[in-house]
Amino acid sequence: MDPISTLIVSSAVGGAAGSFIKEISSNGVKWLVELVTAQSPEMQAAAKMNMENFVMRLAQRVENLEKDIPADRSQIFKNALNHPSSALLIKAAIVDSATTDNEDKHELLAELIAQRLTANADDMIALAGTAACSVVNSLTSRQIKILAVLSTIQSVRPLQKANIANSAEAKNYTNSWWKKNIEPLIADSGFSQATALDYEHLAAMGCVRISIGSNNLAKLVSSGLIEPEINFESEFKGQHWYDTLEAQWNGLGHSTATSIGQLIGILHRDAKLKIKTQINW
């Protein structure tokens, strides 16, 4: 193993999760800075600041995870913490963090590591998370936002459908749910400026599949929320969230998020909405 991987593994074995990441911060950042930057003092200073910001965010996230993890999953956490793949994943994330001060990307990388530490090495979420870590830095903030919107539309629904027979009440409930779950993701102008190239790039990075046929927006947003199900067929026209999605439907409607794209999208969505989505893969 290279020096930083050895440090991660030996520190993980020797102490608590949050502590070993803090040890990386004090002992490993200098080595990593020299690895990923030229000798320019300005470049090294920027890389060091980016790394330290990320490592401290990661330490706090893992420390909280260690405190909150259920007793029946504690062994999975310990096994993941001591697995060589975790060391390599953490190293890759720290190296990637040096190249950007983008808070959204730092948050995503930290959360992807947290997801890995709560899964077995061959679980889908661990495999998709490792792949996702390798592409986060190759995406723009707008493309990450597209994945969050796409994953919400296609995959995220309440754990239980609401039982509403009255059509007007059902429409109000559905409209309210989408305003709460989509509007924070499309609030800035960046999303509405997405282009065909954004979707082509997401496909090239393995985050989406693009098909010839298009999904029906009205049918999608009407599904999975209420029982019995009602198709509102564009009755939401005039609502900001619906009109914004409809304007982007030429890209969104032809796209399906892959496991990598879903994971990135859901984790970014959770960060923006300050919630925790249960991912059952």
Side-chain angles (χ1 to χ4, degrees):
M1 275 190 186
D2 58 64
I4 192 63
S5 298
T6 302
L7 172 64
I8 293 169
V9 171
S10 62
S11 300
V13 172
S19 300
F20 89 72
I21 294 176
K22 287 174 183 173
E23 188 176 339
I24 293 167
S25 179
S26 60
N27 297 324
V29 167
K30 183 177 185 296
W31 182 85
L32 277 167
V33 167
E34 292 171 354
L35 172 70
V36 300
T37 64
Q39 294 307 306
S40 162
E42 291 80 11
M43 290 180 69
Q44 289 201 353
K48 185 172 185 292
M49 181 179 295
N50 290 340
M51 279 185 183
E52 287 178 341
N53 288 342
F54 171 71
V55 167
M56 295 315 295
R57 178 194 293 270
L58 177 60
Q60 187 61 59
R61 179 65 184 91
V62 175
E63 212 162 35
N64 291 340
L65 177 65
E66 189 176 28
K67 292 174 185 174
D68 298 339
I69 195 163
D72 62 345
R73 297 190 65 82
S74 61
Q75 191 57 49
I76 293 176
F77 177 80
K78 291 174 185 175
N79 291 343
L81 197 59
N82 295 327
H83 198 283
S85 65
S86 297
L88 295 173
L89 181 62
I90 293 168
K91 187 193 79 168
I94 295 175
V95 171
D96 284 347
S97 74
T99 65
T100 179
D101 60 0
N102 186 301
E103 290 288 319
D104 287 340
K105 293 184 180 182
H106 281 193
E107 191 156 26
L108 264 174
L109 290 169
E111 193 57 40
L112 285 166
I113 291 170
Q115 292 287 332
R116 168 64 188 94
L117 295 179
T118 56
N120 291 308
D122 60 347
D123 285 352
M124 265 297 298
I125 200 160
L127 299 173
T130 299
C133 265
S134 69
V135 302
V136 165
N137 255 17
S138 299
L139 304 178
T140 66
S141 293
R142 181 166 65 206
Q143 289 159 4
I144 292 171
K145 196 183 300 288
I146 288 171
L147 292 176
V149 171
L150 189 61
S151 298
T152 302
I153 294 170
Q154 295 179 345
S155 306
V156 179
R157 293 295 185 275
L159 293 176
Q160 287 188 322
K161 293 181 181 180
N163 197 329
I164 306 174
N166 181 279
S167 179
E169 290 179 13
K171 179 182 175 181
N172 288 338
Y173 173 84
T174 304
N175 182 47
S176 176
W177 193 90
W178 282 109
K179 286 180 74 172
K180 179 181 177 181
N181 284 273
I182 281 290
E183 286 205 340
L185 304 177
I186 59 175
D188 61 69
S189 59
F191 175 76
S192 61
Q193 294 170 358
T195 67
L197 186 59
D198 286 313
Y199 293 93
E200 290 171 12
H201 183 71
L202 285 168
M205 292 294 102
C207 295
V208 302
R209 296 186 302 275
I210 298 176
S211 59
I212 296 173
S214 174
N215 292 310
N216 181 281
L217 174 59
K219 187 174 181 180
L220 265 179
V221 300
S222 299
S223 67
L225 295 176
I226 55 172
E227 190 70 45
E229 203 159 274
I230 300 172
N231 187 344
F232 291 107
E233 286 295 342
S234 302
E235 287 187 38
F236 294 124
K237 277 186 176 293
Q239 296 291 330
H240 174 258
W241 65 268
Y242 189 91
D243 291 348
T244 303
L245 294 180
E246 191 173 46
Q248 278 293 319
W249 203 243
N250 193 46
L252 289 168
H254 291 274
S255 302
T256 303
T258 63
S259 58
I260 297 169
Q262 275 191 50
L263 189 56
I264 293 173
I266 289 172
L267 295 182
H268 180 69
R269 170 188 183 274
D270 284 2
K272 292 303 176 188
L273 272 59
K274 302 291 189 281
I275 59 174
K276 177 69 175 176
T277 300
Q278 186 176 338
I279 304 174
N280 295 318
W281 286 355

